[in-house]
RNA sequence: CGGGGCGUGGCUCAGCCUGGUAGAGCGCCUGGUUCGGGACCAGGAGGCCGGUGGUUCGAAUCCACUCGCCCCGACCA
């Protein structure tokens, strides 16, 4: 294609609204334009890149026997009411009414629609397994869209769903997806981690996320470089650092002491001259309307995800100050577990075996010393703690690091969540009606591009992996009005085309600097510069990523690039 | 939803405090000179200053309301 005929509106300056690199470069490179908060138009270059990405996705999905479909984005409320997600999804679901006042929503994923198709048609175990997928636009009414294409209200997702006869068969479908996802992300040129993930409120036994390390990300991955353990912070477990001071010995009884104005762990630590780890942190949460007291070591923080799975609550929040006062007769700064009878008390495992700690006394301005869990109050132990950097890995003892990441893919075992609520059953070999077990698997198409840019860019622009760049190679005659340069460039352009390269000829009447800057900005992997050296029959081939330049014979240029592309 | 910031030509921004002719750089158009890392000269087009209402002889500027966008937090299959 001829650059002069294309719409590639590059910008010299960064638009003010863009903060993260991928957003800035997508805008500057003329890939995208914003239509509204979290809603973007994908221009020519972005669309080309997405077509390359989705092609890879299709090839790998098809390779595991998945069948592509295309389902409606507009869904009737009834379907979502059946699965319960009409309520559960709350404000995240885009809802609308038609002219007759019927409730509809825009799908954020398609478990319901897929299940409704399956329950109408799948009758026998002989029809299983099935893997169905689509590449389709999804909608989420994000409270805060941000970071360019990383967090948006409308986006493209590859979502697939597996239907299996039993758990073992689901494992097989899951493993197929796991492998396919690795191939997809490998082919897209991404550096990624596969981490254990929380399977969410929707149930399900196992879940992995595919993560790309990036400061632009919103998830934290806990990683042990020694043994390779990797998990989403939400569900990660690790051994905490040892308490900063040993507990006092002996079978001491709790003893109240005056702590005027000491409200926070930090203040109390300074006041008592004891480390934060000598204290118990008391958190009051209201889970499904009922209060729960959660205890953690003073220097630890609560993992809300772990908390919610422990208490199996659909909804929970920190208690309001008035509620705390009413339940404890004291304010948040002086709460403790001793004597608490009117609610469940759950205790983080890091407190197991600890003795004679400091806790609130449920009387303002007083705390207790010598509080021992299990003796001075009943303790139900759970892993409630959010892992912190520096903790020790449970498998190898290595130091745990926290890495900020962008989630590009997520696979998980749904179990019977939808087949149960929506009545998807088949007959097994014995003629018995059994529920179908399902899995669900997603890939964010835009996030692949964004993550690649986050991963591969420099001060001049994007350095996209060849497999997902909008073009393979740009032919850049230094001066297009020079007849010799022009005809050589055209020749090279034609031979690139014959070799099936995605080639663009920069035939614009621009100064060379402008063409180089633009080519660097939009991230075309290879550039063939036709300039001075043409007199010797040579052109330059520049690798966008390494900036390495090689002189080759002009007649060999296309083949040279083609061989690089294949490498 | 809470906190903060910003809306002035396509982009980046000045002007606003202290009301009185709407500006700069980049981009765009025409002509010319240039041509290996965002050229130069000359000429030119393009803005109901986010919207509504108010104050005033007069509002980009002051006041009120409102809409939009960005950031932090909350939220997050």
């Amino acid at each position: 294609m001829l650059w002069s005929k294309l719409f590639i509106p590059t910008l010299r300056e960064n638009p003010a609204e863009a903060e993260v690199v991928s957003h800035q470069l997508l805008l500057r490179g003329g890939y995208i334009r914003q239509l509204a908060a979290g809603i973007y138009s994908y221009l020519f270059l972005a669309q080309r890149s997405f077509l390359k990405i989705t092609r890879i996705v299709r090839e790998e999905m098809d390779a595991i026997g998945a069948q592509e479909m295309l389902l409606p984005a507009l869904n009737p409320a009834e379907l979502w009411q059946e699965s319960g997600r009409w309520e559960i999804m709350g404000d995240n679901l885009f809802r609308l009414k038609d002219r007759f006042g019927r409730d509809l929503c825009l799908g954020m994923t398609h478990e319901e629609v897929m299940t409704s198709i399956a329950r109408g048609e799948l009758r026998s175990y002989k029809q299983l397994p099935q893997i169905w997928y689509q590449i389709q636009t999804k909608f989420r009414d994000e409270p805060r869209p941000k970071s360019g294409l990383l967090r948006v209200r409308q986006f493209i997702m590859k979502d697939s769903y597996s239907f299996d006869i039993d758990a073992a068969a689901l494992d097989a479908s899951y493993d197929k997806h796991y492998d396919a996802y690795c191939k997809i992300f490998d082919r897209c040129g991404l550096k990624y981690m596969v981490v254990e993930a929380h399977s969410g409120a929707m149930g399900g036994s196992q879940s992995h996320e595919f993560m790309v390390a990036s400061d632009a990300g919103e998830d934290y991955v806990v990683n042990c470089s020694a043994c390779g353990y990797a998990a989403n912070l939400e569900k990660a477990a690790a051994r905490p650092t040892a308490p900063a001071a040993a507990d006092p010995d002996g079978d001491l009884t709790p003893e109240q002491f005056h702590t005027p104005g000491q409200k926070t762990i930090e203040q109390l630590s300074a006041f008592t001259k004891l480390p934060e780890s000598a204290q118990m942190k008391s958190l009051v949460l209201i889970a499904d309307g009922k209060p729960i007291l959660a205890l953690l070591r003073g220097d630890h923080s609560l993992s809300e995800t772990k908390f919610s799975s422990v208490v199996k609550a659909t909804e929970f929040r920190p208690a309001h100050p008035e509620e705390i006062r009413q339940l404890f007769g004291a304010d948040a700064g002086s709460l403790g577990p001793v004597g608490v009878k009117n609610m469940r008390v759950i205790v983080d495992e890091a407190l197991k075996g600890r003795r004679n700690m400091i806790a609130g006394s449920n009387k303002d301005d007083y705390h207790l010393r010598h509080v021992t869990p299990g003796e001075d109050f009943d303790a139900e132990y759970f892993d409630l703690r959010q892992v912190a950097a520096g903790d020790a890995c449970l498998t190898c003892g290595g130091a745990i690091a926290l890495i900020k990441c962008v989630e590009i893919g997520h696979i998980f075992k749904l179990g019977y969540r939808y087949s149960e609520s929506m009545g998807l059953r088949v007959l097994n070999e014995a003629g018995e009606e059994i529920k179908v077990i399902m899995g669900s698997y997603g890939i964010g198409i835009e996030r692949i591009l964004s993550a690649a840019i986050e991963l591969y860019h420099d001060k001049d622009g994007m350095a996209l992996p060849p497999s997902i760049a909008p073009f393979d190679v740009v032919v850049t005659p230094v001066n297009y009005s020079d007849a010799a340069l022009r005809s050589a460039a055209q020749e090279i352009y034609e031979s690139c085309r014959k070799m099936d390269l995605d080639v663009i000829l920069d035939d614009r009447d621009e100064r060379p600097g402008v063409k180089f800057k633009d080519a660097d900005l939009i991230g075309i992997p290879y550039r063939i510069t036709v300039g001075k050296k043409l007199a010797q029959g040579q052109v330059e081939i520049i690798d966008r990523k390494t900036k390495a330049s090689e002189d080759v014979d002009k007649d060999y240029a296309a083949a040279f690039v083609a061989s690089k592309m294949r490498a």
Side-chain angles (χ1 to χ4, degrees):
Chain A
M1 296 192 185
L2 304 180
W3 196 312
S4 68
K5 307 287 185 242
L6 298 175
F7 180 59
I8 304 175
T10 58
L11 263 22
R12 189 183 293 236
E13 283 166 293
N14 265 328
E17 71 263 19
E19 197 96 338
V20 306
V21 174
S22 57
H23 189 198
Q24 292 175 342
L25 291 176
L26 286 166
L27 247 17
R28 277 193 61 202
Y31 277 63
I32 62 172
R33 285 296 182 262
Q34 185 178 55
L35 190 61
I39 306 178
Y40 288 86
S41 300
Y42 304 145
L43 309 185
F44 178 66
L45 290 181
Q47 175 63 359
R48 273 188 85 89
S49 178
F50 291 148
L51 288 172
K52 296 208 173 179
I53 293 168
T54 50
R55 180 174 177 179
I56 291 171
V57 170
R58 285 194 168 94
E59 286 174 4
E60 296 302 337
M61 291 307 296
D62 294 350
I64 62 168
Q67 305 154 68
E68 183 168 2
M69 303 183 171
L70 185 58
L71 308 183
L74 191 58
N75 291 188
E78 288 74 17
L79 208 51
W80 288 67
Q81 282 157 352
E82 244 186 285
S83 70
R85 289 166 104 202
W86 183 260
E87 273 74 39
I88 292 167
M89 285 307 150
D91 290 336
N92 283 326
L93 190 62
F94 263 111
R95 296 156 202 265
L96 63 154
K97 282 186 193 297
D98 69 12
R99 60 171 68 200
F100 302 108
R102 295 187 202 108
D103 286 311
L104 300 161
C105 66
L106 297 173
M108 52 207 316
T109 58
H110 282 73
E111 282 80 355
E112 284 82 359
V113 183
M114 285 287 186
T115 307
S116 79
I117 294 167
R119 72 176 166 191
E121 315 291 338
L122 295 178
R123 290 283 131 84
S124 159
Y125 73 95
K126 291 179 190 164
Q127 292 171 290
L128 300 181
Q130 291 287 329
I131 298 175
W132 298 345
Y133 80 101
Q134 60 172 344
I135 295 174
Q136 187 235 31
T137 302
K138 306 288 186 208
F139 299 87
R140 294 179 59 110
D141 195 353
E142 282 291 338
R144 184 148 96 84
K146 61 173 181 175
S147 307
L149 298 188
L150 287 175
R151 193 169 192 75
V152 290
R153 295 194 289 172
Q154 171 175 345
F155 55 98
I156 305 167
M157 184 175 178
K158 186 291 300 179
D159 51 322
S160 45
Y161 305 86
S162 61
F163 302 91
D164 283 290
I165 192 73
D166 58 23
L170 170 59
D171 288 348
S173 294
Y174 188 87
D175 292 345
K176 279 183 183 175
H177 275 89
Y178 189 113
D179 293 341
Y181 276 34
C182 290
K183 286 185 182 142
I184 288 167
F185 299 131
D186 284 339
R187 287 181 63 186
C188 288
L190 296 175
K191 281 188 289 218
Y192 60 94
M193 291 181 278
V194 190
V195 311
E196 293 174 25
H198 175 64
S199 12
M202 303 276 62
S205 48
Q206 198 181 10
S207 168
H208 285 92
E209 285 169 331
F210 293 75
M211 299 288 217
V212 173
S214 160
D215 282 340
E218 302 189 288
D219 287 298
Y220 280 93
V221 162
V222 164
N223 181 247
C224 171
S225 52
C227 73
Y229 170 74
N232 191 306
L233 177 60
E234 288 186 338
K235 92 157 255 169
R239 187 152 21 89
T241 50
D247 293 333
D249 283 332
D251 198 4
L252 307 170
T253 42
E255 169 188 313
Q256 205 170 62
F257 63 109
H258 193 44
T259 51
Q262 310 301 311
K263 299 277 183 208
T264 65
I265 299 280
E266 197 184 353
Q267 288 167 346
L268 206 61
S269 171
F271 183 82
T272 58
K273 308 223 165 32
L274 289 169
E276 297 186 357
S277 57
Q279 298 181 45
M280 283 182 212
K281 181 184 278 187
S282 302
L283 300 171
V284 189
L285 296 109
I286 308 292
D288 288 341
K290 284 186 298 221
I292 292 182
L293 180 63
L295 293 184
L296 290 140
R297 198 170 93 184
D299 58 332
H300 289 166
S301 43
L302 177 73
S303 160
E304 297 190 355
T305 312
K306 291 179 184 176
F307 174 83
S308 76
S309 49
V310 164
V311 303
K312 298 185 175 59
T314 50
E315 204 181 11
F316 70 94
R317 59 171 171 84
H320 301 312
E322 320 81 70
E323 291 169 328
I324 290 176
R325 164 100 352 233
Q326 200 202 335
L327 288 162
F328 289 84
D331 290 333
S334 307
L335 304 182
V338 179
V340 171
K341 295 277 176 259
N342 52 352
M343 69 189 75
R344 185 173 176 200
V345 179
I346 57 176
V347 183
D348 180 58
E349 279 163 355
L351 296 181
K352 199 184 266 180
R354 296 290 306 278
R355 303 194 61 77
N356 301 321
M357 300 178 71
I358 307 280
S361 67
N362 299 326
K363 180 175 172 189
D364 284 341
D365 291 334
Y366 285 90
H367 281 76
L368 295 175
R369 60 169 67 97
H370 306 152
V371 178
T372 301
E375 293 180 11
D376 299 318
F377 62 93
D378 291 334
E380 279 185 84
Y381 293 104
F382 297 99
D383 176 20
L384 296 174
R385 185 184 68 99
Q386 183 166 89
V387 167
D391 287 352
C393 175
L394 287 180
T395 25
C396 77
I400 288 287
L402 252 53
I403 304 168
K404 217 176 190 186
C405 287
V406 172
E407 177 188 346
I408 50 171
H410 195 164
I411 57 178
F412 68 99
K413 298 180 182 174
L414 282 173
Y416 299 103
R417 168 81 177 72
Y418 293 89
S419 47
E420 200 159 85
S421 60
M422 300 184 63
L424 167 56
R425 287 177 294 269
V426 296
L427 295 182
N428 69 9
E429 235 168 321
E432 301 155 341
E433 201 170 59
I434 57 158
K435 283 175 294 186
V436 173
I437 190 165
M438 293 173 57
S440 141
Y441 317 87
I443 290 180
I445 303 300
E446 291 94 334
R447 283 187 171 189
I448 291 180
L449 213 211
S450 295
I453 297 167
E454 293 290 334
L455 234 29
Y456 310 114
H457 67 269
D458 55 28
K459 63 172 174 37
D460 294 315
M462 311 175 193
L464 292 176
S467 58
I468 64 169
F471 288 96
D472 299 332
V473 56
V474 54
V475 180
T476 308
V478 150
N479 182 351
Y480 204 63
S481 47
D482 180 302
L485 295 183
R486 183 173 62 232
S487 64
Q490 284 166 345
E491 247 171 66
I492 293 166
Y493 170 71
E494 286 306 334
S495 38
C496 285
R497 282 163 52 101
K498 286 198 188 92
M499 299 200 157
D500 265 342
L501 290 167
D502 268 329
V503 59
I504 178 171
L505 173 61
D506 195 346
D507 61 334
R508 294 176 298 168
D509 181 22
E510 288 286 356
R511 297 172 59 84
V514 173
K515 299 186 190 186
F516 296 157
K517 289 287 185 194
D518 274 343
D520 287 352
L521 177 61
I522 69 176
I524 302 175
Y526 297 100
R527 188 180 84 213
I528 303 174
T529 303
V530 184
K532 282 195 191 100
K533 291 169 189 157
L534 186 66
Q536 286 79 250
Q538 299 221 302
V539 295
E540 268 166 68
I541 297 180
I542 294 97
D543 182 310
R544 170 64 185 87
K545 199 165 164 192
T546 63
K547 298 283 176 77
S549 166
E550 279 184 79
D551 296 343
V552 305
D553 189 282
K554 73 175 169 63
D555 298 323
Y556 179 57
F560 185 86
V561 171
S563 72
K564 289 260 193 188
M565 286 292 297
R566 265 180 253 114

